[in-house]
Amino acid sequence: MSKGNIYIISGPSGSGKDTVLGEIFKKLPDIFFSISSITRPMRENEREGEKYNFISKEKFISMLENDELLEHNCYVGNYYGTPKAPVVNAAESGRDVIIEVDVNGAAEIRKKLDSTVSIFIMPPSFEVLRNRLSSRGTESAEVISGRMQEAIAEIKRATEYDYIV
């Protein structure tokens, strides 16, 4: 049995990653999506185990200490990470895998896993990006401003990826 491919998807918050991924999963329902473990509170429109596993900081630190994460990061005071076992097991069983992760996490994963394909989703413009973030109604103006600054830093690293969409 051949191994599955591992695809890394990144892009600024609001760039359209969820829209792109939604279309991929419609066309390729058997692809494995890596569910991140995070310590921030669940938002109204989120469901446990759909995109994230919401865990305590203590559990996250335990996973870190036991080398159970492919990558991890702290963003706006919360921890985010990609559990290693589900990704490796899916790929070894022949399933293609998608990991949605920020630019720092993508760099960590590329160092740890062979033969990944990395794709950066570019927002159409900064104006569209700001409008998308604002229209969510889930974050303060201060957080949106921080996300816009983060977007600029992420876009500067887009050339690290195999493909830019």
Side-chain angles (χ1 to χ4, degrees):
M1 177 184 296
S2 63
K3 284 188 174 187
N5 296 306
I6 298 175
Y7 299 94
I8 300 169
I9 307 286
S10 301
S13 180
S15 63
K17 295 181 302 289
D18 288 340
T19 301
V20 170
L21 289 173
E23 290 300 312
I24 290 170
F25 294 129
K26 280 182 195 172
K27 292 180 170 65
L28 303 167
D30 292 333
I31 202 161
F32 179 84
F33 180 69
S34 172
I35 298 172
S36 297
S37 292
I38 66 173
T39 63
R40 72 162 169 74
M42 189 183 316
R43 294 177 184 149
E44 267 186 47
N45 60 341
E46 294 176 323
R47 291 191 181 106
E48 173 69 29
E50 190 172 88
K51 190 171 181 179
Y52 303 113
N53 288 319
F54 298 89
I55 63 173
S56 68
K57 286 186 180 178
E58 294 77 19
K59 170 67 175 162
F60 192 94
I61 290 167
S62 173
M63 292 173 75
L64 202 63
E65 291 172 345
N66 293 313
D67 194 32
E68 296 174 24
L69 298 170
L70 284 172
E71 60 81 31
H72 68 281
N73 200 355
C74 185
Y75 182 73
V76 194
N78 295 298
Y79 295 97
Y80 295 72
T82 303
K84 185 188 310 183
V87 170
V88 171
N89 293 341
E92 286 181 356
S93 72
R95 290 183 75 187
D96 289 338
V97 176
I98 290 182
I99 303 170
E100 181 187 351
V101 68
D102 71 6
V103 293
N104 296 319
E108 279 188 61
I109 293 169
R110 284 192 298 265
K111 289 178 188 173
K112 292 180 182 177
L113 297 179
D114 296 330
S115 304
T116 61
V117 176
S118 58
I119 304 163
F120 190 89
I121 308 295
M122 188 72 71
S125 71
F126 285 112
E127 182 180 337
V128 169
L129 185 61
R130 183 177 298 281
N131 289 339
R132 286 178 181 174
L133 293 173
S134 297
S135 68
R136 290 178 178 175
T138 58
E139 293 158 337
S140 68
E142 184 179 333
V143 171
I144 291 169
S145 178
R147 289 193 185 273
M148 290 300 295
Q149 291 304 311
E150 185 70 23
I152 292 167
E154 289 176 327
I155 289 168
K156 288 179 180 177
R157 295 183 60 187
T159 57
E160 296 174 14
Y161 287 74
D162 298 314
Y163 299 96
I164 299 173
V165 178

